Amino acid sequence: MLEHMSSDNVFEYKKLSSEEQKRRGILGRLVGVIADSVNATRNGRKYSAKLWQKVFEDPIMKEKIENRVCFGEACHPVDGREEVDPEKVAICLAEVPKMNTNGQLIGVFDILDTPCGRILKTMLDYGANIGVSSRGSGDVELDFNGEEYVNPDSYDCICWDAVFVPAVKEARLQYDL
């Protein structure tokens, strides 16, 4: 089951010492909203709480998070591919996200010491407010109000990528060194 945050919406995650970050090849962390189960994305689609629950109950997603291989790239691939290119990896989902009382998923990403991770860190150091956006595929259907939603039973979440304009407007994460 997807863990919920406390009623006061305080998000707690495992803080790492600078020594531990260096040992693991982590340049910093991105923390904040990564999805919204109530409001539609900028492309007009809704991703329900049921969908995110299924994503994080999926054995493959659990395995990816537990083994620190839920990697994301610096920007979505322009060729539309779903698999992650190891040469373009910049971030990794550090733990299972938590749902706040507003229906938003709050997550933590490690910025990795890779060529793309260093580029991302340089932009963050400059002051860029980077976002994240999920990458996956699923059937888009219409609800009773004629609004689009992604069918939870068909959605396959691959990863989250660092992006300049996230599909969820609030998915601009805090840079945590």
Side-chain angles (χ1 to χ4, degrees):
M1 178 171 209
L2 188 61
E3 188 176 336
H4 283 75
M5 292 171 33
S6 64
S7 61
D8 57 359
N9 266 351
V10 174
F11 179 68
E12 295 181 17
Y13 61 96
K14 183 179 178 187
K15 296 271 187 178
L16 301 177
S17 68
S18 57
E19 295 81 24
E20 179 68 6
Q21 285 189 24
K22 186 175 181 180
R23 186 184 70 73
R24 288 194 195 178
I26 299 171
L27 301 175
R29 288 187 142 184
L30 293 171
V31 180
V33 174
I34 67 168
D36 189 327
S37 68
V38 176
N39 301 299
T41 60
R42 293 183 204 236
N43 63 13
R45 294 184 186 133
K46 289 187 177 181
Y47 293 74
S48 67
K50 179 182 176 185
L51 178 143
W52 294 117
Q53 185 76 34
K54 288 183 80 116
V55 164
F56 293 106
E57 288 176 352
D58 178 74
I60 298 296
M61 181 59 75
K62 284 181 176 182
E63 182 179 338
K64 286 167 58 173
I65 295 169
E66 287 170 7
N67 289 288
R68 296 187 187 132
V69 296
C70 191
F71 295 124
E73 299 179 14
C75 295
H76 284 317
V78 294
D79 60 7
R81 70 182 152 71
E82 289 187 2
E83 61 279 342
V84 176
D85 182 345
E87 293 182 4
K88 297 181 180 173
V89 166
I91 59 175
C92 187
L93 185 60
E95 60 186 57
V96 175
K98 295 176 178 71
M99 182 80 67
N100 70 16
T101 57
N102 298 326
Q104 297 169 316
L105 278 181
I106 309 298
V108 179
F109 294 89
D110 291 328
I111 304 165
L112 303 178
D113 190 2
T114 63
C116 290
R118 288 189 294 276
I119 291 168
L120 178 61
K121 182 182 183 321
T122 297
M123 289 186 273
L124 292 162
D125 288 342
Y126 170 72
N129 193 3
I130 299 295
V132 294
S133 183
S134 62
R135 185 183 344 160
S137 62
D139 297 330
V140 177
E141 300 179 10
L142 295 178
D143 66 13
F144 294 111
N145 297 322
E147 295 176 341
E148 289 186 345
Y149 72 96
V150 178
N151 183 323
D153 295 323
S154 69
Y155 186 65
D156 182 26
C157 183
I158 306 301
C159 67
W160 281 258
D161 294 315
V163 297
F164 299 135
V165 181
V168 174
K169 188 175 181 180
E170 294 78 21
R172 293 201 176 271
L173 283 66
Q174 176 185 343
Y175 178 36
D176 187 16
L177 291 173

